[in-house]
Amino acid sequence: MTRNMILSAAVLAAVLGGCRKDYGTRRPDVAQLDPRDRGLQSKDVVQASDQMAMDLLSDPNLNASQTRWTMVVDRVENRTVNSRFDLDVFLQRLKSKLAQNGKGRVQLIENRAKLQELQSRELERERDDYGQGSSPSRPGPKGINPDYALWARIDELPNRGTSYYQITFQLSDLRTREIAWTNMYEVRVER
């Protein structure tokens, strides 16, 4: 090996070694606040979803039920100053936590619009005499109607230096319109 090749290899090793050392600072834990950021952060998503999953799964009505609760996860109503942001990440993480920890008590059902989108992309369609698509060539099982819909609403009370966020999670009985469960996560952050 020539001296230049050895020097190049050493520089490359130092650069790659240096990248590994600062990986923790480039990829901080999602449960940590970043002082450079304002508003809701990943820590709020983690805390809110963990707290809500534990609370819902410990609900006495759910645990006393003789049948498994079927639920669809709807959406987040964004009532914040930045209403153009998609805050469904709160519900998506909660959905994952319920799937992980609610086995036997909770059965998540795909949202109807999402299911239809998936079916239209993935299922083969038969053609009629006019070349138009009709029903899927292999009809699937009859759909399951969910008992409950899980949704959330995020409200913001902005002030000069801070904003107060109230994130309300609610499980609505789709047959009776009763609110089967509700809870909220509150946080006050720098603007």
Side-chain angles (χ1 to χ4, degrees):
M1 273 186 145
T2 68
R3 181 183 161 147
N4 285 341
M5 291 173 74
I6 293 172
L7 185 58
S8 296
V11 167
L12 182 61
V15 167
L16 291 176
C19 289
R20 289 188 193 124
K21 290 178 186 173
D22 71 337
Y23 182 76
T25 59
R26 290 186 299 130
R27 295 280 190 181
D29 186 345
V30 295
Q32 300 294 317
L33 292 176
D34 188 324
R36 298 171 297 170
D37 292 333
R38 302 288 182 259
L40 294 171
Q41 294 189 33
S42 61
K43 179 179 181 175
D44 299 307
V45 175
V46 170
Q47 285 185 330
S49 60
D50 287 354
Q51 181 182 336
M52 295 305 119
M54 286 188 320
D55 187 65
L56 177 54
L57 292 174
S58 66
D59 183 84
N61 294 324
L62 171 63
N63 291 312
S65 177
Q66 297 296 317
T67 60
R68 183 172 53 178
W69 286 12
T70 57
M71 61 181 73
V72 64
V73 177
D74 192 29
R75 68 182 183 286
V76 174
E77 291 180 22
N78 184 353
R79 302 268 182 111
T80 66
V81 172
N82 293 322
S83 60
R84 71 181 190 279
F85 291 139
D86 182 359
L87 296 174
D88 283 347
V89 65
F90 283 91
L91 276 181
Q92 291 308 311
R93 189 166 194 285
L94 176 54
K95 178 180 175 180
S96 295
K97 297 303 276 187
L98 291 173
Q100 289 172 2
N101 302 316
K103 294 182 180 8
R105 294 180 286 164
V106 172
Q107 177 61 56
L108 296 169
I109 305 295
E110 187 63 73
N111 179 285
R112 186 175 53 191
K114 181 66 175 175
L115 178 64
Q116 289 171 348
E117 174 193 336
L118 290 168
Q119 288 174 329
S120 71
R121 280 198 324 252
E122 299 302 329
L123 293 180
E124 297 291 331
R125 304 276 177 191
E126 292 179 351
R127 300 282 176 193
D128 62 16
D129 292 337
Y130 301 103
Q132 301 295 314
S134 61
S135 63
S137 58
R138 291 178 292 135
K142 184 175 178 175
I144 299 171
N145 286 320
D147 299 316
Y148 301 95
L150 178 63
W151 60 280
R153 175 177 159 166
I154 301 180
D155 294 289
E156 177 184 8
L157 180 60
N159 292 297
R160 287 184 185 160
T162 63
S163 277
Y164 163 79
Y165 291 95
Q166 177 179 301
I167 306 170
T168 305
F169 296 87
Q170 185 166 303
L171 189 66
S172 300
D173 188 318
L174 294 174
R175 293 177 313 270
T176 65
R177 295 179 29 196
E178 295 174 318
I179 298 171
W181 169 86
T182 188
N183 201 344
M184 69 179 156
Y185 175 81
E186 299 172 288
V187 66
R188 185 173 167 199
V189 299
E190 188 175 343
R191 289 192 70 178

